[in-house]
Every structure is written in structure tokens, then in C-alpha cells.
Amino acid sequence: MPPVPPESPAPRPSTVARRTVLGAVAAAAASAPLMTGLATPASASPASVAPRALPGGGDLGPNVLVFDPSTPGIQAKLDDIFHRQEAAQFGTGRYALLFKPGTYSGLNAQIGFYTSIAGLGLSPDDTTINGDVTVDAGWANGNATQNFWRSAENLALVPVNGTNRWAVAQAAPFRRMHVRGGLNLAPSGYGWASGGYIADCRVDGQVGPYSQQQWYTRDSVVGGWVNAVWNMVFSGVQGAPAQSFPNPPYTTLDTTPVSREKPFLYLNGSEFRVFLPEKRTNARGVTWGNGTPRGTSLSLSQFYVAKPGVSAATLNQALAQGLHLLLTPGIYHVDQPIQVNRDNTVVLGLGYATIVPDNGVTALRVADVDGVRLAGFLIDAGPVNSRTLLEVGPSGASRDHSANPTTVQDVFVRVGGAGAGKATTSMVINNRNTVVDHTWVWRADHGTGVGWDTNRADYGVVVNGDDVLCTGLFVEHFNKYDVQWFGQRGRTIFFQNEKAYDAPNQAAVQDGNVRGYAAYKVAGNVTSHEAWGLGSYCNYTADPGIVQHHGFAAPNTAGVKFHDVLVVSLGGNGQYEHVINEVGAPTSGTSTTPSTVVAYP
């Protein structure tokens, strides 16, 4: 559709194995209602309010658990949720675990699918867990490459053994965390891993990615970084290793051009509020280093607190009334687009709230307005093809939003996996100056409703707007282009991609006279574009003989620049002839050794 260790184990094609750990384990999710936690004072529920008098605020529902240090049985509740969610890869359970400011001792919060854990202070140091917030891969026999859709935010951790384990893959952000020790990003035994994203964090000790193939860290402070496999990217990170791609494969930018941290829920006394961090330019380090962050806040009374089952019409009525949206954990079916038309509107999800468009509609649209913040939710394509799933700005949007951009953060898009889904294009960015900060846009390669035409999705991310910045762009498996960029002066810091595993033959991925659709294509009329730290992998399991001419395509002009680019053939299932355009050596045989280009042109 025109106008994303000191000694480490040898790298292995983890993504291949990731896609084979399927079936009964992933389907074993329990999604029955859980015990309720503490909540804000109750008001009328969405089902009972009068159409002309939607209230702001409301209780957060049964799947938001709010703890304080005196809450009895916290560990048992955490264990119960983890038991339900550990292997629930495509289940319907959704949970948010919120901790009031204070100190908690002796906890190990294991985090499974569709589970978010967060502190309720203004600073991570307001809420300290003397213990761990753990992600491991016991459910998948030590393979962490399917540990998706979970998060940790706004907590200080004092790990029991000195190092906290966070072995994740895509769509598992680690934000506003203070680890008073080290951070291990690999599963027990250093099994396969493929992630990941850190932002606004301080890790006093070393970060050890070990078997992680790629990782992006933004605006943070680390005590050291232990090793790298294929592609480690840093921007605005104090303590990051020096630029050295491809050996070792570190891509290091001193600052992040533009960033604005994700909105978050916190407590002001007994009142729930949503904090809105301010925009930073040329950012470096954490926002909370001198205590509380800079920004503004909104009372929960200014939000419509939505529950699963509410209609799109009611959500749009709340927005038209001037309310923001807080989507509590659950699955929301919409029969019309959620339409954001007002400057500075916040749409914030808790516990991986999931929007499913019915009857081929677009799930959410943003007008050509300033300062919208979309954060913390999942969009799941429905069985009837949607032309688009998320539209940031209408076609032809032209307003300058540089002073107050829209931000899209931890908004994940999925086509298939949980059931048959179709969408021509998953995410379209039309508004100028939009910042997309961590997204995974995924056409499923496993789960239910998966097949070359069963979950057809031609395009992942299409950028039409000028001056768009993507920080942490993961886009995978689309039938044609994963990313197409038509806007001027676009920038991407970190891109991770896999081409569609299930392409049936060479003809199915033939782009005119070019063999294979590029993972990331900058349109021929673009005169200014820059990108750092990009990787594309092929794993053509249906036809290992498929040849991908290149991973990246761009006009050959001085204003279009790529830095630190790689392609990899996973186990020889398909081959790349070049890295970008006609530049870069071909991948070779069954080797998983990357072919790299340090600078283009």
C-alpha cells in the first residue's frame, strides 16, 4: 500500500526454534476471572451510564491488582497469575500488577504473557522490591524466543542473587526500572533468546545479553555491557560500549534526537493520576535521575476508564466529550474505529488491553492534531480484512507537530496467531513528526489462523509523514514489504526483521524484476533519510531455495544514509544476494554469519 560474557555461547538460529515451540503448551492458558485487588473508588460502570453523561474515573476492574506493603499473601497472588499466564501465548487473560510506593521484601514476581508489573510512584525508587521480577523460559524448555507481550515499569529491584533475569523477545519492554545489581537478558542455561527493549532505566551493575541476538537500549544508565551477538544498539545511554560495529556489533549514538517517555499511572496520596513526561531533544540518561521526572499529570477523573464489553460508540462518545481513555485489561471488540480528534489526547492501556476490529474496520485513527499519546495496548486483526489497523493521521496530513508530536509507545499489532486475522496494512503513519517508540508489528508465523493467505497481510508499517522518528522498530513476516517509507527526513534507530517464513515459492515474493520484497524500503523520491542499526533475517522454511536480492532498498543519494546494517540467513533457509541495494556480500550456505555494511552509501 503506497501513499520498522565474558564468554557467551555460540549464536544459534534462535528464531527457527522460537517458531516451533507451539501447540498444547501455548494453548494451556487459563483465563478465568481472578481475585480482585484494591482499586480506585467505584463509579458507574460503562454498561450502566447514561449516554449523555459519561463519567471520568472509575474502578480499574478485577484484573488490576493493587498491592501495598501490608497486603497479605502477595507472593501467592503473583504465583497464581503466573500459573495462569506462563504458557498462555494466545490466551485471553490480561493482568496488571500495581505496587504502591513502599518496600516489599522476599518477592519473586514471575511475569508471564499479557502481564504488566509496575510501581505507582513518580520515581522508580519510590517502590522497592527486595527480590526479583523474573522472566525465564521453563515453559518452552529454555527457549526464550517466544516470551512476548509482557512488561516491567517504574520499580526499583534489589535482586536476591545480585542479578535480575529478564529473558524476553519482542513486545516486552523494560521501562523506568532501577536495578540495584545486574541484569541478565538470557534464559537459564543461556538458551536461545531474541529481543528486546530497555528505556529510561538505570542498571547499577552489568547488563548481560549473552545469547540475545539483538537489543535496543535508549536513554538509560548502565554499569557495563557484557557481550553482543549480532546487533546491539544504544542511543543516549551512559555507560554504553563504544561504537564498534561489526566487531563487536555495537551501534552507539551519544544521544536520542527526540524522546518523550511513556505515560504512566501513579498515586498522589490516595488519588490515581496519569503522569505525562515532557519531550526531550538530544536526550541522554534517565528522566528521573534527580528525583521526580519533568512533565505534567492528569487526574483519573479526566479519563474514561473502559472495561471489556464497552462499545466503540461509547469510547468515541467519551473522546468527543473531552475525556481521555484508560483501557483496563481485557479484549475490546470494536465495530467502528476509535477516533482520536483532540489535541493532547491520551489512550493508555493496562495489562495488554487488546483491541480487535470487527467487520474489517480500522481499530484506531488519529486526526492531524498535536500531542496525542498512544501507549500500552495490542491491536489484533479480525477475520474480515481491514484495510488498515492503526492510522496515525489522515491521508495528506500536513501540520507541523515538531513542538508537540504524537507518540506511539508499546503499541503492538498482530495479524493471526490468536485466530485467523487479515489486514492489508498494519500501521500507517501520516502525521508529521510522529515518534514511534517501541513497536512490534507481527504477521504471525505460528499459532492458529496462520498461512500464506489465511492471515494475509501485505504491508507492516507505511510511513507517509515527514520528519517521523522510530526508536525500536520490530516488524516481521509480511507478505510483501515489512516497512515502506515515503516521508522525507525520516529516521530509524534500531530495526529488527524476519521475512515471511511461509512464502510458498520464489514467484510469491517477486517484486517486479527484483527477487524478494525488501524488509525496509525507502521510496525513490525520498531525498533525506537516516537509519542506524538494522537487521533482516530470512528463514524461508516452505521453500528454502528462495533468494532475497537484498534486505534493504533505498535511493542512491547522499541524503539517504544507512549505518550498521546486516542480513542473516537462518540455517540456509533462503539466501540474500546483498545487504542494501547492490552492496554487501551474499549470505553463505547454512551459516548464520551476518553479512554487514557499515555505511551506505
Side-chain angles (χ1 to χ4, degrees):
M1 174 185 169
V4 176
E7 293 183 10
S8 65
R12 293 180 283 178
S14 68
T15 42
V16 178
R18 175 173 80 201
R19 311 314 191 192
T20 62
V21 185
L22 311 173
V25 177
S31 58
L34 193 76
M35 73 291 282
T36 62
L38 304 177
T40 53
S43 64
S45 68
S48 64
V49 298
R52 293 187 179 86
L54 291 176
D59 78 272
L60 300 179
N63 284 6
V64 175
L65 280 74
V66 182
F67 303 105
D68 65 43
S70 66
T71 303
I74 296 176
Q75 186 65 58
K77 293 179 182 179
L78 297 177
D79 291 346
D80 186 22
I81 295 170
F82 179 65
H83 175 73
R84 295 165 181 265
Q85 299 303 114
E86 179 185 13
Q89 184 171 181
F90 298 112
T92 58
R94 304 286 188 272
Y95 299 99
L97 312 174
L98 305 181
F99 286 75
K100 292 182 178 181
T103 300
Y104 302 77
S105 295
L107 295 183
N108 180 19
Q110 299 181 83
I111 306 301
F113 285 99
Y114 312 110
T115 304
S116 298
I117 186 170
L120 288 170
L122 270 178
S123 165
D125 289 327
D126 293 340
T127 310
T128 298
I129 293 178
N130 291 313
D132 297 271
V133 172
T134 304
V135 178
D136 210 337
W139 74 279
N141 298 314
N143 177 3
T145 59
Q146 292 184 50
N147 282 347
F148 313 138
W149 305 305
R150 63 198 74 198
S151 64
E153 301 182 46
N154 206 28
L155 292 164
L157 304 178
V158 184
V160 170
N161 294 315
T163 299
N164 189 79
R165 186 180 302 279
W166 186 256
V168 298
Q170 292 83 355
F174 200 76
R175 287 185 181 269
R176 295 178 53 76
M177 297 288 286
H178 185 185
V179 181
R180 299 176 191 165
L183 184 63
N184 185 336
L185 304 177
S188 300
Y190 301 111
W192 294 345
S194 179
Y197 175 92
I198 291 171
D200 203 22
C201 290
R202 181 185 294 274
V203 180
D204 295 344
Q206 287 190 324
V207 180
Y210 302 106
S211 54
Q212 285 283 356
Q213 294 158 328
Q214 66 279 315
W215 198 277
Y216 175 52
T217 306
R218 177 181 64 71
D219 298 352
S220 294
V221 181
V222 298
W225 195 273
V226 177
N227 78 305
V229 177
W230 288 342
N231 191 30
M232 300 284 145
V233 180
F234 309 84
S235 68
V237 178
Q238 298 173 22
Q243 170 71 32
S244 57
F245 185 91
N247 187 25
Y250 295 135
T251 298
T252 303
L253 287 73
D254 190 57
T255 61
T256 304
V258 179
S259 61
R260 189 174 68 190
E261 299 304 330
K262 178 183 173 184
F264 61 91
L265 197 65
Y266 76 103
L267 277 170
N268 181 26
S270 61
E271 179 196 13
F272 277 99
R273 299 185 67 88
V274 173
F275 193 82
L276 307 178
E278 70 176 13
K279 187 188 79 168
R280 297 198 292 171
T281 56
N282 299 317
R284 182 171 171 82
V286 298
T287 62
W288 46 272
N290 295 319
T292 58
R294 296 175 63 89
T296 59
S297 70
L298 298 168
S299 168
L300 204 64
S301 65
Q302 295 173 265
F303 284 77
Y304 179 69
V305 177
K307 308 294 196 312
V310 68
S311 70
T314 298
L315 297 175
N316 283 330
Q317 181 187 348
L319 290 167
Q321 200 174 291
L323 294 171
H324 307 275
L325 296 183
L326 185 71
L327 304 176
T328 63
I331 298 175
Y332 297 75
H333 284 265
V334 296
D335 58 2
Q336 60 180 272
I338 300 170
Q339 185 66 53
V340 178
N341 294 325
R342 181 172 48 88
D343 288 350
N344 302 311
T345 299
V346 179
V347 180
L348 177 61
L350 299 179
Y352 285 84
T354 302
I355 303 170
V356 181
D358 293 331
N359 303 320
V361 303
T362 296
L364 191 148
R365 287 183 175 140
V366 177
D368 192 1
V369 294
D370 271 354
V372 171
R373 305 186 195 221
L374 309 179
F377 56 89
L378 173 65
I379 297 174
D380 212 348
V384 178
N385 185 72
S386 294
R387 186 181 65 87
T388 59
L389 293 173
L390 174 64
E391 294 180 14
V392 180
S395 178
S398 60
R399 289 182 56 191
D400 182 344
H401 302 293
S402 56
N404 188 13
T406 285
T407 47
V408 181
Q409 299 176 287
D410 301 346
V411 174
F412 308 119
V413 182
R414 180 172 67 190
V415 183
K422 293 185 177 182
T424 304
T425 303
S426 288
M427 182 183 296
V428 180
I429 308 296
N430 292 318
N431 278 355
R432 293 180 60 187
N433 312 108
T434 299
V435 177
V436 179
D437 176 46
H438 190 225
T439 188
W440 185 37
V441 181
W442 185 55
R443 175 182 167 263
D445 59 277
H446 64 271
T448 59
V450 172
W452 184 250
D453 291 311
T454 304
N455 62 326
R456 183 82 192 188
D458 284 349
Y459 308 104
V461 176
V462 173
V463 180
N464 296 316
D466 293 340
D467 305 293
V468 170
L469 171 65
C470 292
T471 51
L473 182 60
F474 300 74
V475 188
E476 296 188 301
H477 306 309
F478 286 84
N479 295 76
K480 293 185 178 179
Y481 291 111
D482 297 282
V483 173
Q484 284 182 295
W485 208 295
F486 297 94
Q488 297 288 353
R489 298 175 300 280
R491 291 174 291 184
T492 294
I493 304 173
F494 183 88
F495 171 71
Q496 187 266 328
N497 166 262
E498 291 175 354
K499 296 303 300 173
Y501 290 2
D502 55 348
N505 50 53
Q506 186 75 54
V509 293
Q510 194 75 10
D511 181 17
N513 295 323
V514 178
R515 294 199 284 185
Y517 289 89
Y520 185 112
K521 182 175 182 178
V522 180
N525 65 341
V526 172
T527 58
S528 177
H529 187 92
E530 195 160 10
W532 297 261
L534 303 93
S536 177
Y537 318 150
C538 71
N539 182 37
Y540 287 118
T541 53
D543 181 357
I546 290 175
V547 173
Q548 181 81 23
H549 182 68
H550 46 219
F552 302 88
N556 186 10
T557 180
V560 176
K561 302 175 183 179
F562 283 73
H563 311 272
D564 302 355
V565 189
L566 66 93
V567 295
V568 182
S569 170
L570 298 177
N573 290 317
Q575 299 291 333
Y576 291 92
E577 293 179 314
H578 301 286
V579 179
I580 180 167
N581 291 351
E582 311 302 316
V583 176
T587 53
S588 175
T590 60
S591 170
T592 57
T593 302
S595 178
T596 63
V597 169
V598 174
Y600 181 88

